[in-house]
Amino acid sequence: MHCHCDTLLILESIGGRLDPGSEAAWGMTDYLHPRILGSVRVLLLESNLSDAAAEIASRSGYDVFAITDPLVANYTHEAYRRILAPLILAAAPTLVITADTASGAQWAPAM
């Protein structure tokens, strides 16, 4: 993923299903006007490859990139920052939306 997007939506999958906080973050995009969101890309952090990325893409029409790095399986805020920092820089989004979860509260402010 090396191209600009206006909005980067970062979601987490647990056991092949979206984390409830990620569901809420994704749902938030339904309430924002498309002119505010612009082009949207989704980064899906999941511990093992599942159908979640394909489901999100088909339901939303967004470009979805599944991140299945082994570091995702055993969450630490440092590991998430190491995985996400270069991806966020490459996407150069104007807006980043992530889940309001304990993990998001740890890594997101550091970005």
Side-chain angles (χ1 to χ4, degrees), residues 1 8-11 13 18 26 40-46 49-67:
M1 187 185 74
L8 187 61
L9 178 58
I10 301 173
L11 306 176
S13 172
L18 276 184
W26 180 22
V40 177
R41 296 198 190 286
V42 178
L43 293 180
L44 176 64
L45 298 161
E46 53 185 348
L49 196 56
S50 70
D51 294 332
E55 178 185 345
I56 294 166
S58 69
R59 287 176 48 194
S60 68
Y62 300 148
D63 291 331
V64 179
F65 299 89
I67 310 300

Side-chain angles (χ1 to χ4, degrees), residues 57-102:
S58 69
R59 287 176 48 194
S60 68
Y62 300 148
D63 291 331
V64 179
F65 299 89
I67 310 300
T68 57
D69 190 295
L71 293 173
V72 172
N74 299 306
Y75 170 79
T76 67
H77 64 277
E78 183 58 38
Y80 269 41
R81 286 199 316 253
R82 258 188 300 182
I83 293 166
L84 292 170
L87 298 172
I88 292 171
L89 287 172
T94 303
L95 175 64
V96 175
I97 299 173
T98 189
D100 183 14
T101 62

